[in-house]
Amino acid sequence: FAAGQPTGPLLERLTDDPVDEWQPALAPDGVTLAMSRAPGGRYSAVVVRDACGNAHAVSLPRRPHNEVREEVPGFVEGGAGLIFGHICKLERDITDIARVRPDGSDFGKIQPTSGDPVQLPLRPSASPDGNWLAFDAEAGVPDLGYIEFEDNREIYVLELATGVARRLTHHPASDKLPVFAPDNKTLYFRSERDGNSEIYRMDVDGGHLTRITDHPALDTWPSPSPDGRSVVFAADVFGQFDVFRMEFGGP
């Protein structure tokens, strides 16, 4: 602060409730904001609100009981649709990728219709052109059938126009949290294939696998920059999770 005024970007607090709110996703209009909200315990719901602070949060449709976890929201179709992972605890952790309009209407599930078999899909990411979804799903058999005992998560892509799913990674360690780069051709994800959680990059056809980070900390939640020259991610380098950025250089 200089003379009582902030000298850098203005930091504005958008939520102020006594419950956890996280995983924010801003729509292309720059106003509509989706997030996960946990009113109690480990169960959470996706809510939509006005990022300008002028509208009350609206909970989206959910199963008629409380033991549901909804997470990792993201906008599709230019902001007309919202996708997120949906976990039903009372049904032995049945998981789906859900789609709904930001006003709460037209709730449904996105299900692969052909291609590689998919079980327990979670953590969806839409491609910038709106043609694909990337997500992680279980390739092994989870202990007791519960998602909390994840066995072998792998990266998949789903072509929305055809419903064809394709598995991209094949490794006994878990690969998860995929996210599309702005070029529609590249995916970043978290993998434990080298004995530690690191950030990797690959083409959307599964080729050109590249390890991005390489240190003992747990690296997770990658997010590439719009120009593709850097990626931000969370890591517990100093004993707690902080956000880091890695620059790739280039033109």
Side-chain angles (χ1 to χ4, degrees):
F1 288 84
Q5 297 296 322
T7 57
L10 175 64
L11 178 65
E12 180 183 6
R13 184 173 182 175
L14 297 181
T15 64
D16 189 13
D17 290 326
V19 299
D20 288 332
E21 294 167 313
W22 73 104
Q23 297 174 340
L26 191 63
D29 63 9
V31 174
T32 307
L33 180 69
M35 71 189 81
S36 293
R37 185 175 189 270
R42 59 183 176 174
Y43 308 116
S44 61
V46 169
V47 299
V48 177
R49 58 164 293 155
D50 186 331
C52 298
N54 298 322
H56 192 274
V58 177
S59 294
L60 301 183
R62 62 186 303 167
R63 305 282 178 92
H65 49 69
N66 291 325
E67 296 198 10
V68 170
R69 191 164 78 234
E70 297 170 344
E71 56 184 27
V72 197
F75 286 92
V76 294
E77 302 169 13
L82 183 67
I83 57 170
F84 55 92
H86 185 278
I87 307 173
C88 183
K89 306 298 293 182
L90 290 185
E91 297 179 8
R92 293 183 63 82
D93 284 356
I94 297 300
T95 75
D96 299 285
I97 297 173
R99 183 200 175 278
V100 69
R101 293 188 181 276
D103 64 4
S105 63
D106 295 337
F107 178 82
K109 303 294 180 62
I110 298 176
Q111 300 282 0
T113 58
S114 60
D116 293 329
V118 173
Q119 58 177 338
L120 302 178
L122 274 179
R123 296 176 277 255
S125 171
S127 64
D129 63 9
N131 294 328
W132 300 82
L133 282 183
F135 54 90
D136 61 75
E138 194 63 49
V141 180
D143 295 341
L144 305 177
Y146 288 86
I147 193 64
E148 289 196 12
F149 299 93
E150 292 185 355
D151 179 40
N152 180 26
R153 305 297 290 182
E154 300 286 358
I155 306 299
Y156 293 75
V157 290
L158 172 68
E159 187 176 24
L160 292 173
T162 64
V164 176
R166 186 170 74 252
R167 179 175 168 180
L168 299 185
T169 59
H170 297 77
H171 197 278
S174 284
D175 301 322
K176 61 180 72 174
L177 299 169
V179 60
F180 275 94
D183 63 4
N184 283 295
K185 301 176 181 179
T186 308
L187 282 170
Y188 289 82
F189 63 99
R190 162 188 167 178
S191 178
E192 300 170 5
R193 62 183 58 214
D194 290 314
N196 185 50
S197 179
E198 305 285 358
I199 305 301
Y200 284 74
R201 178 176 61 196
M202 67 178 172
D203 295 341
V204 293
D205 62 1
H208 295 96
L209 180 68
T210 304
R211 180 173 176 171
I212 301 301
T213 62
D214 187 8
H215 54 73
L218 190 157
D219 302 327
T220 187
W221 292 110
S223 181
S225 63
D227 62 8
R229 297 177 60 181
S230 65
V231 61
V232 295
F233 58 95
D236 61 348
V237 175
F238 303 109
Q240 66 180 37
F241 278 103
D242 294 296
V243 176
F244 295 81
R245 180 175 63 184
M246 176 173 287
E247 298 281 353
F248 301 131

